[in-house]
Amino acid sequence: MSMIRNIALAATATAALALAGCGSQEGATRDQVRAVGSSTVYPFAKAVAESLAKSDASLKSPIIESTGTGAGMKLFCAGVGAQHPDIANASRRMKKSEFEDCQKNGVKDIVEIQVGLDGVAFAEAQKGPGIALTPEDVYKALAKNPYGKPNAFKTWKDVNPSLPAEPILVYGPPSTSGTRDALKELILMKGCDENAEMKALKDSDKDKHDKICGEVRDDGAYVDAGENDNLIVQKIEANPKAIGIFGFSYLEENSSRIKGLTMKGIAPTYATISDFTYPGARPLYIYVKKAHLKAIPGLQAFVTEWSKLWGKDGSLAKLGMVVAPDDVLAASAKAVTDLSVLDGSQLK
């Protein structure tokens, strides 16, 4: 027994020294994985953490924090060492600016792994009017300055005569959320670019285009509901005239209380997200700090555990995650095994 104990102590000491060598504060150690980031990925990461804890009693269950994708990236990219998280969960791909921030702070080797798919879902209460939306409708309703002019739309009928004369009231994610980023990229930008002048502006003045097309109004029509998607569900359930925006998994989880709205005639479903016919479909990722893999006990095992659960018959699908296509799953499994480092040249 004493020999086994000595080996375990030596392994712990080695891990502490390894982490100290990659930039942690003097004497700082950590004996469990810490992941931060997306509220959409959060329930899936929690499930993976619980699965790992059950399968290996020698490991402490990973700490999973729901901070939003943007805030999680800031924490992840702040540096290497025990005081910094090991993983960033993200409901959109890492931005080039975030990658550069990581590099600047010594986070040089980052492993990108796509773990599944999700969708930016629009929903209303079961007794809601059943609004059928398009990206252009959403852009006109939610943009701060649609087509460069202050937003004067008060009702959905103002936006589109075929929509009901109900006040525009949308509960959605904050600016730190990956869901908000996906809303901007997949819905607002596409709706904005339905206008030929705005589409041309993208080539002539990208910064101006991004501001006009992506900035959300702040006059009360759009309500920042924070990172708690369950709160959005409660809000729209209490007000049948309101609309909520969140990840598809939350729509699935609460389908008895709320219903999804169509986008360009396509409903947010498992099938339409998996084949990307639904306009709001998006990939989900985890980003792993390679310098921490040998230093933090259980980090490699936690990353491997994801690959055991993300398949068609895995527990993550049962929780509402949309399983990625076979070729993506194969590439993701290879990333878990090879731990290839992300090339920032492909990021936007």
Side-chain angles (χ1 to χ4, degrees):
M1 289 296 289
S2 60
M3 183 177 292
I4 294 173
R5 183 172 181 273
N6 288 338
I7 292 172
L9 287 172
T12 301
T14 300
L17 286 170
L19 198 53
C22 62
S24 68
Q25 294 173 339
E26 186 176 353
T29 60
R30 182 155 42 80
D31 61 356
Q32 63 194 127
V33 174
R34 180 184 170 211
V36 297
S38 168
S39 62
T40 299
V41 180
Y42 174 80
F44 306 125
K46 283 286 288 183
V48 176
E50 289 166 5
S51 176
L52 177 64
K54 288 178 182 177
S55 64
D56 190 341
S58 70
L59 297 173
K60 286 189 176 181
S61 182
I63 299 167
I64 314 295
E65 300 173 36
S66 177
T67 64
T69 297
M73 287 294 184
K74 285 184 180 179
L75 291 168
F76 179 81
C77 289
V80 174
Q83 72 273 34
H84 302 293
D86 314 303
I87 290 177
N89 300 322
S91 54
R92 45 93 173 150
R93 200 175 193 195
M94 177 181 274
K95 297 177 181 179
K96 189 174 185 65
S97 59
E98 291 167 337
F99 180 83
E100 290 169 351
D101 192 37
C102 268
Q103 300 297 301
K104 181 181 69 177
N105 293 324
V107 184
K108 300 291 185 180
D109 295 332
I110 303 165
V111 180
E112 177 187 74
I113 303 169
Q114 185 178 330
V115 296
L117 301 173
D118 189 52
V120 181
F122 292 72
E124 63 183 5
Q126 286 289 353
K127 295 181 180 179
I131 296 178
L133 297 171
T134 67
E136 188 174 10
D137 293 335
V138 176
Y139 171 69
K140 289 179 180 178
L142 299 186
K144 185 174 183 177
N145 297 291
Y147 310 123
K149 299 177 181 178
N151 199 325
F153 297 122
K154 302 298 182 184
T155 72
W156 288 104
K157 194 174 185 66
D158 294 336
V159 168
N160 183 334
S162 69
L163 298 177
E166 299 291 353
I168 298 168
L169 178 58
V170 178
Y171 293 95
S175 58
T176 55
S177 171
T179 302
R180 176 76 162 264
D181 291 329
L183 168 66
K184 174 183 173 181
E185 181 181 347
L186 301 175
I187 305 297
L188 296 180
M189 290 290 191
K190 289 182 180 177
C192 181
D193 287 342
E194 290 291 325
N195 179 284
E197 186 179 341
M198 291 297 105
K199 191 172 184 179
L201 183 63
K202 183 188 290 187
D203 295 326
S204 62
D205 192 337
K206 188 176 185 302
D207 289 342
K208 185 177 181 181
H209 172 271
D210 286 355
K211 188 175 179 65
I212 291 176
C213 293
E215 198 169 20
V216 176
R217 66 195 297 182
D218 54 8
D219 59 357
Y222 181 91
V223 180
D224 178 339
E227 294 290 352
N228 186 351
D229 291 342
N230 286 321
L231 179 62
I232 300 178
V233 173
Q234 292 168 15
K235 291 285 188 182
I236 63 175
E237 188 179 32
N239 182 359
K241 296 180 180 180
I243 288 175
I245 303 174
F246 36 66
F248 170 73
S249 59
Y250 279 89
L251 173 61
E252 280 281 274
E253 185 181 334
N254 296 278
S255 58
S256 63
R257 301 161 60 189
I258 58 176
K259 60 185 178 182
L261 302 179
T262 60
M263 186 65 59
K264 294 184 72 173
I266 302 170
T269 66
Y270 191 99
T272 61
I273 290 170
S274 63
D275 66 9
F276 282 88
T277 54
Y278 176 69
R282 58 176 175 171
L284 302 177
Y285 298 93
I286 62 171
Y287 290 88
V288 185
K289 204 167 286 180
K290 196 167 184 178
H292 285 199
L293 279 168
K294 292 182 179 179
I296 298 297
L299 179 55
Q300 178 68 68
F302 180 61
V303 173
T304 301
E305 195 73 12
W306 273 97
S307 65
K308 296 177 181 178
L309 305 180
W310 65 34
K312 290 181 174 64
D313 298 319
S315 58
L316 298 184
K318 295 172 185 175
L319 286 175
M321 177 182 278
V322 178
V323 178
D326 289 342
D327 59 333
V328 174
L329 285 180
S332 296
K334 190 173 188 299
V336 169
T337 304
D338 297 351
L339 300 170
S340 300
V341 174
L342 178 65
D343 179 1
S345 65
Q346 297 180 345
L347 302 178
K348 297 179 182 178

PDB file of all heavy atoms in Angstrom, residues 272-296:
ATOM      1  N   THR A 272     -33.858  19.193 -39.042  1.00  0.00           N
ATOM      2  CA  THR A 272     -33.505  20.381 -39.829  1.00  0.00           C
ATOM      3  C   THR A 272     -32.211  21.033 -39.348  1.00  0.00           C
ATOM      4  O   THR A 272     -31.547  21.730 -40.119  1.00  0.00           O
ATOM      5  CB  THR A 272     -34.637  21.426 -39.795  1.00  0.00           C
ATOM      6  OG1 THR A 272     -34.876  21.848 -38.431  1.00  0.00           O
ATOM      7  CG2 THR A 272     -35.913  20.861 -40.385  1.00  0.00           C
ATOM      8  N   ILE A 273     -31.864  20.804 -38.095  1.00  0.00           N
ATOM      9  CA  ILE A 273     -30.585  21.324 -37.601  1.00  0.00           C
ATOM     10  C   ILE A 273     -29.442  20.413 -38.042  1.00  0.00           C
ATOM     11  O   ILE A 273     -28.377  20.873 -38.458  1.00  0.00           O
ATOM     12  CB  ILE A 273     -30.614  21.475 -36.069  1.00  0.00           C
ATOM     13  CG1 ILE A 273     -31.549  22.628 -35.700  1.00  0.00           C
ATOM     14  CG2 ILE A 273     -29.205  21.720 -35.510  1.00  0.00           C
ATOM     15  CD1 ILE A 273     -31.851  22.742 -34.229  1.00  0.00           C
ATOM     16  N   SER A 274     -29.668  19.101 -37.987  1.00  0.00           N
ATOM     17  CA  SER A 274     -28.598  18.155 -38.346  1.00  0.00           C
ATOM     18  C   SER A 274     -28.220  18.261 -39.820  1.00  0.00           C
ATOM     19  O   SER A 274     -27.064  18.014 -40.186  1.00  0.00           O
ATOM     20  CB  SER A 274     -29.008  16.717 -38.004  1.00  0.00           C
ATOM     21  OG  SER A 274     -30.138  16.322 -38.763  1.00  0.00           O
ATOM     22  N   ASP A 275     -29.180  18.665 -40.684  1.00  0.00           N
ATOM     23  CA  ASP A 275     -28.823  18.807 -42.104  1.00  0.00           C
ATOM     24  C   ASP A 275     -28.659  20.271 -42.523  1.00  0.00           C
ATOM     25  O   ASP A 275     -28.524  20.578 -43.701  1.00  0.00           O
ATOM     26  CB  ASP A 275     -29.848  18.101 -43.004  1.00  0.00           C
ATOM     27  CG  ASP A 275     -31.242  18.734 -42.957  1.00  0.00           C
ATOM     28  OD1 ASP A 275     -31.396  19.825 -42.361  1.00  0.00           O
ATOM     29  OD2 ASP A 275     -32.171  18.136 -43.531  1.00  0.00           O
ATOM     30  N   PHE A 276     -28.691  21.172 -41.524  1.00  0.00           N
ATOM     31  CA  PHE A 276     -28.451  22.607 -41.726  1.00  0.00           C
ATOM     32  C   PHE A 276     -29.474  23.288 -42.637  1.00  0.00           C
ATOM     33  O   PHE A 276     -29.207  24.365 -43.168  1.00  0.00           O
ATOM     34  CB  PHE A 276     -27.028  22.861 -42.255  1.00  0.00           C
ATOM     35  CG  PHE A 276     -25.975  22.781 -41.178  1.00  0.00           C
ATOM     36  CD1 PHE A 276     -25.395  21.567 -40.856  1.00  0.00           C
ATOM     37  CD2 PHE A 276     -25.571  23.903 -40.487  1.00  0.00           C
ATOM     38  CE1 PHE A 276     -24.426  21.475 -39.859  1.00  0.00           C
ATOM     39  CE2 PHE A 276     -24.605  23.824 -39.483  1.00  0.00           C
ATOM     40  CZ  PHE A 276     -24.038  22.609 -39.174  1.00  0.00           C
ATOM     41  N   THR A 277     -30.665  22.692 -42.806  1.00  0.00           N
ATOM     42  CA  THR A 277     -31.703  23.393 -43.566  1.00  0.00           C
ATOM     43  C   THR A 277     -32.337  24.499 -42.725  1.00  0.00           C
ATOM     44  O   THR A 277     -32.820  25.492 -43.275  1.00  0.00           O
ATOM     45  CB  THR A 277     -32.799  22.421 -44.056  1.00  0.00           C
ATOM     46  OG1 THR A 277     -33.321  21.691 -42.940  1.00  0.00           O
ATOM     47  CG2 THR A 277     -32.255  21.460 -45.096  1.00  0.00           C
ATOM     48  N   TYR A 278     -32.330  24.332 -41.403  1.00  0.00           N
ATOM     49  CA  TYR A 278     -32.831  25.400 -40.529  1.00  0.00           C
ATOM     50  C   TYR A 278     -31.790  26.521 -40.494  1.00  0.00           C
ATOM     51  O   TYR A 278     -30.606  26.275 -40.233  1.00  0.00           O
ATOM     52  CB  TYR A 278     -33.074  24.858 -39.118  1.00  0.00           C
ATOM     53  CG  TYR A 278     -33.513  25.923 -38.133  1.00  0.00           C
ATOM     54  CD1 TYR A 278     -34.763  26.514 -38.249  1.00  0.00           C
ATOM     55  CD2 TYR A 278     -32.677  26.337 -37.103  1.00  0.00           C
ATOM     56  CE1 TYR A 278     -35.175  27.504 -37.362  1.00  0.00           C
ATOM     57  CE2 TYR A 278     -33.077  27.322 -36.213  1.00  0.00           C
ATOM     58  CZ  TYR A 278     -34.324  27.900 -36.349  1.00  0.00           C
ATOM     59  OH  TYR A 278     -34.719  28.872 -35.467  1.00  0.00           O
ATOM     60  N   PRO A 279     -32.202  27.767 -40.777  1.00  0.00           N
ATOM     61  CA  PRO A 279     -31.231  28.868 -40.892  1.00  0.00           C
ATOM     62  C   PRO A 279     -30.388  29.125 -39.650  1.00  0.00           C
ATOM     63  O   PRO A 279     -29.294  29.675 -39.753  1.00  0.00           O
ATOM     64  CB  PRO A 279     -32.136  30.079 -41.189  1.00  0.00           C
ATOM     65  CG  PRO A 279     -33.358  29.505 -41.814  1.00  0.00           C
ATOM     66  CD  PRO A 279     -33.569  28.189 -41.122  1.00  0.00           C
ATOM     67  N   GLY A 280     -30.877  28.735 -38.474  1.00  0.00           N
ATOM     68  CA  GLY A 280     -30.138  29.034 -37.245  1.00  0.00           C
ATOM     69  C   GLY A 280     -29.262  27.903 -36.738  1.00  0.00           C
ATOM     70  O   GLY A 280     -28.785  27.942 -35.599  1.00  0.00           O
ATOM     71  N   ALA A 281     -29.016  26.869 -37.567  1.00  0.00           N
ATOM     72  CA  ALA A 281     -28.184  25.741 -37.126  1.00  0.00           C
ATOM     73  C   ALA A 281     -26.742  26.192 -36.912  1.00  0.00           C
ATOM     74  O   ALA A 281     -26.218  27.015 -37.651  1.00  0.00           O
ATOM     75  CB  ALA A 281     -28.242  24.619 -38.156  1.00  0.00           C
ATOM     76  N   ARG A 282     -26.075  25.625 -35.889  1.00  0.00           N
ATOM     77  CA  ARG A 282     -24.701  26.035 -35.563  1.00  0.00           C
ATOM     78  C   ARG A 282     -23.948  24.886 -34.879  1.00  0.00           C
ATOM     79  O   ARG A 282     -24.556  24.044 -34.213  1.00  0.00           O
ATOM     80  CB  ARG A 282     -24.714  27.230 -34.619  1.00  0.00           C
ATOM     81  CG  ARG A 282     -25.466  26.909 -33.329  1.00  0.00           C
ATOM     82  CD  ARG A 282     -25.421  28.014 -32.326  1.00  0.00           C
ATOM     83  NE  ARG A 282     -26.261  27.685 -31.162  1.00  0.00           N
ATOM     84  CZ  ARG A 282     -26.270  28.388 -30.055  1.00  0.00           C
ATOM     85  NH1 ARG A 282     -25.498  29.438 -29.924  1.00  0.00           N
ATOM     86  NH2 ARG A 282     -27.061  28.041 -29.052  1.00  0.00           N
ATOM     87  N   PRO A 283     -22.621  24.864 -35.005  1.00  0.00           N
ATOM     88  CA  PRO A 283     -21.815  23.847 -34.322  1.00  0.00           C
ATOM     89  C   PRO A 283     -21.506  24.263 -32.881  1.00  0.00           C
ATOM     90  O   PRO A 283     -21.506  25.449 -32.547  1.00  0.00           O
ATOM     91  CB  PRO A 283     -20.539  23.790 -35.161  1.00  0.00           C
ATOM     92  CG  PRO A 283     -20.429  25.150 -35.771  1.00  0.00           C
ATOM     93  CD  PRO A 283     -21.823  25.665 -35.949  1.00  0.00           C
ATOM     94  N   LEU A 284     -21.249  23.267 -32.039  1.00  0.00           N
ATOM     95  CA  LEU A 284     -20.833  23.493 -30.653  1.00  0.00           C
ATOM     96  C   LEU A 284     -19.411  22.966 -30.480  1.00  0.00           C
ATOM     97  O   LEU A 284     -19.057  21.929 -31.042  1.00  0.00           O
ATOM     98  CB  LEU A 284     -21.768  22.762 -29.676  1.00  0.00           C
ATOM     99  CG  LEU A 284     -23.255  23.115 -29.752  1.00  0.00           C
ATOM    100  CD1 LEU A 284     -24.047  22.253 -28.767  1.00  0.00           C
ATOM    101  CD2 LEU A 284     -23.483  24.590 -29.467  1.00  0.00           C
ATOM    102  N   TYR A 285     -18.605  23.669 -29.673  1.00  0.00           N
ATOM    103  CA  TYR A 285     -17.192  23.318 -29.529  1.00  0.00           C
ATOM    104  C   TYR A 285     -16.760  23.280 -28.071  1.00  0.00           C
ATOM    105  O   TYR A 285     -17.378  23.900 -27.200  1.00  0.00           O
ATOM    106  CB  TYR A 285     -16.306  24.378 -30.212  1.00  0.00           C
ATOM    107  CG  TYR A 285     -16.493  24.545 -31.692  1.00  0.00           C
ATOM    108  CD1 TYR A 285     -17.377  25.501 -32.191  1.00  0.00           C
ATOM    109  CD2 TYR A 285     -15.771  23.777 -32.599  1.00  0.00           C
ATOM    110  CE1 TYR A 285     -17.535  25.682 -33.565  1.00  0.00           C
ATOM    111  CE2 TYR A 285     -15.921  23.959 -33.972  1.00  0.00           C
ATOM    112  CZ  TYR A 285     -16.804  24.907 -34.444  1.00  0.00           C
ATOM    113  OH  TYR A 285     -16.955  25.087 -35.800  1.00  0.00           O
ATOM    114  N   ILE A 286     -15.642  22.577 -27.850  1.00  0.00           N
ATOM    115  CA  ILE A 286     -14.851  22.784 -26.645  1.00  0.00           C
ATOM    116  C   ILE A 286     -13.428  23.106 -27.103  1.00  0.00           C
ATOM    117  O   ILE A 286     -12.964  22.587 -28.127  1.00  0.00           O
ATOM    118  CB  ILE A 286     -14.850  21.575 -25.684  1.00  0.00           C
ATOM    119  CG1 ILE A 286     -14.237  20.334 -26.340  1.00  0.00           C
ATOM    120  CG2 ILE A 286     -16.238  21.285 -25.157  1.00  0.00           C
ATOM    121  CD1 ILE A 286     -14.021  19.172 -25.362  1.00  0.00           C
ATOM    122  N   TYR A 287     -12.770  23.999 -26.378  1.00  0.00           N
ATOM    123  CA  TYR A 287     -11.379  24.367 -26.647  1.00  0.00           C
ATOM    124  C   TYR A 287     -10.546  23.961 -25.441  1.00  0.00           C
ATOM    125  O   TYR A 287     -10.889  24.310 -24.297  1.00  0.00           O
ATOM    126  CB  TYR A 287     -11.264  25.868 -26.926  1.00  0.00           C
ATOM    127  CG  TYR A 287     -11.887  26.238 -28.249  1.00  0.00           C
ATOM    128  CD1 TYR A 287     -13.242  26.562 -28.329  1.00  0.00           C
ATOM    129  CD2 TYR A 287     -11.144  26.211 -29.422  1.00  0.00           C
ATOM    130  CE1 TYR A 287     -13.831  26.864 -29.553  1.00  0.00           C
ATOM    131  CE2 TYR A 287     -11.724  26.509 -30.653  1.00  0.00           C
ATOM    132  CZ  TYR A 287     -13.069  26.833 -30.709  1.00  0.00           C
ATOM    133  OH  TYR A 287     -13.644  27.113 -31.921  1.00  0.00           O
ATOM    134  N   VAL A 288      -9.487  23.220 -25.699  1.00  0.00           N
ATOM    135  CA  VAL A 288      -8.686  22.630 -24.626  1.00  0.00           C
ATOM    136  C   VAL A 288      -7.288  23.235 -24.608  1.00  0.00           C
ATOM    137  O   VAL A 288      -6.638  23.359 -25.658  1.00  0.00           O
ATOM    138  CB  VAL A 288      -8.578  21.090 -24.807  1.00  0.00           C
ATOM    139  CG1 VAL A 288      -7.839  20.469 -23.630  1.00  0.00           C
ATOM    140  CG2 VAL A 288      -9.962  20.477 -24.979  1.00  0.00           C
ATOM    141  N   LYS A 289      -6.839  23.591 -23.429  1.00  0.00           N
ATOM    142  CA  LYS A 289      -5.497  24.157 -23.246  1.00  0.00           C
ATOM    143  C   LYS A 289      -4.503  22.998 -23.170  1.00  0.00           C
ATOM    144  O   LYS A 289      -4.420  22.281 -22.173  1.00  0.00           O
ATOM    145  CB  LYS A 289      -5.487  24.986 -21.964  1.00  0.00           C
ATOM    146  CG  LYS A 289      -4.442  26.061 -21.888  1.00  0.00           C
ATOM    147  CD  LYS A 289      -4.740  27.009 -20.716  1.00  0.00           C
ATOM    148  CE  LYS A 289      -5.908  27.921 -20.997  1.00  0.00           C
ATOM    149  NZ  LYS A 289      -6.207  28.828 -19.878  1.00  0.00           N
ATOM    150  N   LYS A 290      -3.745  22.797 -24.226  1.00  0.00           N
ATOM    151  CA  LYS A 290      -2.881  21.620 -24.320  1.00  0.00           C
ATOM    152  C   LYS A 290      -1.808  21.609 -23.228  1.00  0.00           C
ATOM    153  O   LYS A 290      -1.414  20.543 -22.745  1.00  0.00           O
ATOM    154  CB  LYS A 290      -2.224  21.567 -25.701  1.00  0.00           C
ATOM    155  CG  LYS A 290      -1.617  20.215 -26.035  1.00  0.00           C
ATOM    156  CD  LYS A 290      -1.259  20.100 -27.509  1.00  0.00           C
ATOM    157  CE  LYS A 290      -0.735  18.705 -27.839  1.00  0.00           C
ATOM    158  NZ  LYS A 290      -0.428  18.550 -29.283  1.00  0.00           N
ATOM    159  N   ALA A 291      -1.355  22.790 -22.805  1.00  0.00           N
ATOM    160  CA  ALA A 291      -0.332  22.862 -21.764  1.00  0.00           C
ATOM    161  C   ALA A 291      -0.812  22.297 -20.432  1.00  0.00           C
ATOM    162  O   ALA A 291       0.001  21.971 -19.571  1.00  0.00           O
ATOM    163  CB  ALA A 291       0.114  24.316 -21.572  1.00  0.00           C
ATOM    164  N   HIS A 292      -2.135  22.172 -20.254  1.00  0.00           N
ATOM    165  CA  HIS A 292      -2.683  21.674 -18.993  1.00  0.00           C
ATOM    166  C   HIS A 292      -2.931  20.168 -18.990  1.00  0.00           C
ATOM    167  O   HIS A 292      -3.251  19.591 -17.942  1.00  0.00           O
ATOM    168  CB  HIS A 292      -4.004  22.385 -18.678  1.00  0.00           C
ATOM    169  CG  HIS A 292      -3.840  23.791 -18.206  1.00  0.00           C
ATOM    170  ND1 HIS A 292      -4.826  24.462 -17.516  1.00  0.00           N
ATOM    171  CD2 HIS A 292      -2.815  24.662 -18.307  1.00  0.00           C
ATOM    172  CE1 HIS A 292      -4.416  25.682 -17.221  1.00  0.00           C
ATOM    173  NE2 HIS A 292      -3.200  25.834 -17.704  1.00  0.00           N
ATOM    174  N   LEU A 293      -2.809  19.530 -20.151  1.00  0.00           N
ATOM    175  CA  LEU A 293      -3.232  18.132 -20.258  1.00  0.00           C
ATOM    176  C   LEU A 293      -2.511  17.190 -19.297  1.00  0.00           C
ATOM    177  O   LEU A 293      -3.128  16.302 -18.711  1.00  0.00           O
ATOM    178  CB  LEU A 293      -3.056  17.642 -21.702  1.00  0.00           C
ATOM    179  CG  LEU A 293      -4.188  18.051 -22.653  1.00  0.00           C
ATOM    180  CD1 LEU A 293      -3.801  17.783 -24.092  1.00  0.00           C
ATOM    181  CD2 LEU A 293      -5.486  17.322 -22.313  1.00  0.00           C
ATOM    182  N   LYS A 294      -1.201  17.367 -19.151  1.00  0.00           N
ATOM    183  CA  LYS A 294      -0.456  16.484 -18.255  1.00  0.00           C
ATOM    184  C   LYS A 294      -0.439  17.005 -16.827  1.00  0.00           C
ATOM    185  O   LYS A 294      -0.143  16.256 -15.899  1.00  0.00           O
ATOM    186  CB  LYS A 294       0.984  16.309 -18.766  1.00  0.00           C
ATOM    187  CG  LYS A 294       1.068  15.528 -20.076  1.00  0.00           C
ATOM    188  CD  LYS A 294       2.520  15.346 -20.511  1.00  0.00           C
ATOM    189  CE  LYS A 294       2.599  14.549 -21.809  1.00  0.00           C
ATOM    190  NZ  LYS A 294       4.001  14.375 -22.281  1.00  0.00           N
ATOM    191  N   ALA A 295      -0.763  18.278 -16.658  1.00  0.00           N
ATOM    192  CA  ALA A 295      -0.652  18.894 -15.340  1.00  0.00           C
ATOM    193  C   ALA A 295      -1.926  18.783 -14.506  1.00  0.00           C
ATOM    194  O   ALA A 295      -1.863  18.708 -13.283  1.00  0.00           O
ATOM    195  CB  ALA A 295      -0.266  20.366 -15.485  1.00  0.00           C
ATOM    196  N   ILE A 296      -3.082  18.775 -15.149  1.00  0.00           N
ATOM    197  CA  ILE A 296      -4.355  18.743 -14.420  1.00  0.00           C
ATOM    198  C   ILE A 296      -4.920  17.324 -14.428  1.00  0.00           C
ATOM    199  O   ILE A 296      -5.259  16.790 -15.491  1.00  0.00           O
ATOM    200  CB  ILE A 296      -5.366  19.710 -15.064  1.00  0.00           C
ATOM    201  CG1 ILE A 296      -4.858  21.142 -15.007  1.00  0.00           C
ATOM    202  CG2 ILE A 296      -6.721  19.608 -14.367  1.00  0.00           C
ATOM    203  CD1 ILE A 296      -4.674  21.715 -13.617  1.00  0.00           C
TER     204      ILE A 296
END
